[in-house]
């Protein structure tokens, strides 16, 4: 039998099965929903889904009622060679919420309806801070998905990244050493997300704690590297960065405002930000030069406390 004959026959079989389910008033009728996943919007301007996204959480909501109709968790390894999957779900018209990258850092509450869905980044109960873990987050919401037993092409689900890596390096200029160990912290009101990929009203600030690593003495530098993975940053958000050196405040102000001093920054596209504080200690003050993603953006001095 040729392929041209097989396709109409497959469609006929699916249609007959759907008709039988409806006629018998059965609630166990499941039919294929074909999904194709990509991650196209990135600096490389290529599909990085296969390289970066390891897990998927799928939530299918009925368009008419808003209620959850089906959900599924799977790893990227379960997809086919084209990063596609066939998911058998009840017939209907749906909205699909897809979260990518979720393992253990984020919590998802599907809610009683699409509008009640929530993803959160819960803090540690003991410290009240979110410890560093390099677990990135992707999101997509697709509407008007139709499942009726017909043979349909795969729906394209293009994920958008909702997390950032922020690296804060505090180092003494060559030939100098820092008088104290530096510390840092990031606070931002971005630790929750709704089904539409937005921060819900009433979200409380999240305090991020870094992973800290000392600079190598082989580089003839003293200081440390503070690594953060935060949820989405935006040019006009309320994120704040504090950098402290033994009681002396090196920087305490807007994180994204500082990053924005680099004219080439696009927060919607970039997901890695390197903020470098180069400090030259003096008798009673610190000379500070700040670079963002390799470009010096500001110089100032602060009095030692």
């Amino acid at each position: 039998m040729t392929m041209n004959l097989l396709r109409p026959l497959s469609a006929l079989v699916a249609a007959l099965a759907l008709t039988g389910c409806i006629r018998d008033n059965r609630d166990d009728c499941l039919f294929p929903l074909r999904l194709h996943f990509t991650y196209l919007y990135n600096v490389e301007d290529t599909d990085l889904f296969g390289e970066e996204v390891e897990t998927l959480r799928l939530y299918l909501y009925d368009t008419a009622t808003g209620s959850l109709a089906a959900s599924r968790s799977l790893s990227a390894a379960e997809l086919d060679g084209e990063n596609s999957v066939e998911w058998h779900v009840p017939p209907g018209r749906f909205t699909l919420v897809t979260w990518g990258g979720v393992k253990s850092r984020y919590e998802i509450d599907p809610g009683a309806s699409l509008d009640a869905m929530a993803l959160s980044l819960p803090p540690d109960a003991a410290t009240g801070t979110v410890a560093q873990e390099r677990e990135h987050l992707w999101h997509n919401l697709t509407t008007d998905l139709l499942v009726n037993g017909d043979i349909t092409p795969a729906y394209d689900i293009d994920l958008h990244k909702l997390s950032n890596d922020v690296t804060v390096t505090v180092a003494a200029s060559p030939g100098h050493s820092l008088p104290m160990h530096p510390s840092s912290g990031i606070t931002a009101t971005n630790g929750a997300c709704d089904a539409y990929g937005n921060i819900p009203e009433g979200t409380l600030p999240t305090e991020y704690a870094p992973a800290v690593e000392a600079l190598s003495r082989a580089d003839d530098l003293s200081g440390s590297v503070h690594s953060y993975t935060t949820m989405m940053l935006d040019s006009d958000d309320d994120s704040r960065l504090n950098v402290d050196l033994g009681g002396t405040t090196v920087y305490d102000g807007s994180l994204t405002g500082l990053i924005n001093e680099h004219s080439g920054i696009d927060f919607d596209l970039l997901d890695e930000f390197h903020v470098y504080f180069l400090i030259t200690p003096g008798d009673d003050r610190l000379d500070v030069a700040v670079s963002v993603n390799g470009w010096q953006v500001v110089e100032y001095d602060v009095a030692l406390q």
Side-chain angles (χ1 to χ4, degrees):
M1 186 178 291
T2 66
M3 183 60 69
N4 289 337
L5 292 176
L6 281 173
R7 287 175 179 169
L9 181 59
S10 298
L12 177 61
V13 170
L16 289 174
L18 176 59
T19 301
C21 279
I22 295 173
R23 183 176 61 243
D24 297 340
N25 195 29
R26 289 163 50 189
D27 58 5
D28 61 346
C29 300
L30 300 177
F31 298 98
L33 172 61
R34 298 173 180 85
L35 305 171
H36 171 235
F37 299 96
T38 57
Y39 166 40
L40 297 169
Y41 191 63
N42 52 66
V43 175
E44 288 81 355
D45 195 25
T46 188
D47 186 3
L48 296 178
F49 179 90
E51 295 180 29
E52 296 198 14
V53 185
E54 297 180 1
T55 66
L56 291 167
R57 301 279 186 93
L58 311 177
Y59 297 89
L60 198 65
Y61 292 88
D62 184 271
T63 299
T65 66
S67 61
L68 184 67
S71 63
R72 182 176 180 182
S73 298
L74 67 160
S75 69
E78 296 176 66
L79 306 178
D80 66 18
E82 296 181 346
N83 293 323
S84 298
V85 68
E86 186 175 283
W87 181 19
H88 286 78
V89 300
R93 194 174 295 275
F94 303 101
T95 294
L96 174 67
V97 181
T98 302
W99 299 103
V102 175
K103 297 176 185 176
S104 59
R105 197 183 197 206
Y106 308 98
E107 291 183 358
I108 299 176
D109 179 3
S113 66
L114 175 67
D115 289 339
M117 166 177 257
L119 176 142
S120 62
L121 183 57
D124 181 85
T127 65
T129 63
V130 174
Q132 170 58 4
E133 187 174 350
R134 199 173 187 273
E135 182 176 312
H136 281 288
L137 179 68
W138 288 262
H139 168 265
N140 176 276
L141 182 142
T142 304
T143 60
D144 204 31
L145 279 71
L146 179 63
V147 178
N148 61 5
D150 288 344
I151 303 299
T152 58
Y155 289 97
D156 289 321
I157 310 299
D158 187 35
L159 298 176
H160 190 86
K161 200 169 190 178
L162 297 185
S163 56
N164 304 96
D165 282 329
V166 180
T167 304
V168 177
T169 301
V170 185
S173 57
H176 294 83
S177 60
L178 295 180
M180 299 287 184
H181 293 294
S183 62
S184 72
I186 291 176
T187 303
T189 305
N190 63 359
C193 197
D194 63 19
Y196 303 90
N198 301 319
I199 300 171
E201 289 187 15
T203 297
L204 297 176
T206 294
E207 184 178 346
Y208 295 90
V212 180
E213 182 178 359
L215 285 169
S216 171
R217 287 291 182 178
D219 298 328
D220 193 30
L221 294 172
S222 72
S224 55
V225 179
H226 303 229
S227 300
Y228 300 86
T229 298
T230 73
M231 287 181 64
M232 48 193 161
L233 298 172
D234 189 70
S235 59
D236 59 355
D237 65 21
D238 68 348
S239 62
R240 293 188 66 84
L241 169 65
N242 174 270
V243 177
D244 187 88
L245 190 60
T248 296
T249 299
V250 175
Y251 183 81
D252 186 17
S254 171
L255 169 61
T256 51
L258 182 60
I259 293 172
N260 253 331
E261 293 291 337
H262 187 316
S263 60
I265 293 297
D266 182 343
F267 283 96
D268 196 42
L269 181 63
L270 295 175
D271 57 20
E272 292 188 16
F273 304 106
H274 300 273
V275 184
Y276 197 106
F277 290 85
L278 186 65
I279 297 176
T280 302
D283 292 335
D284 59 355
R285 54 199 321 102
L286 304 173
D287 292 327
V288 183
V290 185
S291 300
V292 173
N293 286 14
W295 291 87
Q296 183 170 315
V297 296
V298 65
E299 279 188 279
Y300 59 92
D301 58 70
V302 295
L304 279 170
Q305 299 297 315

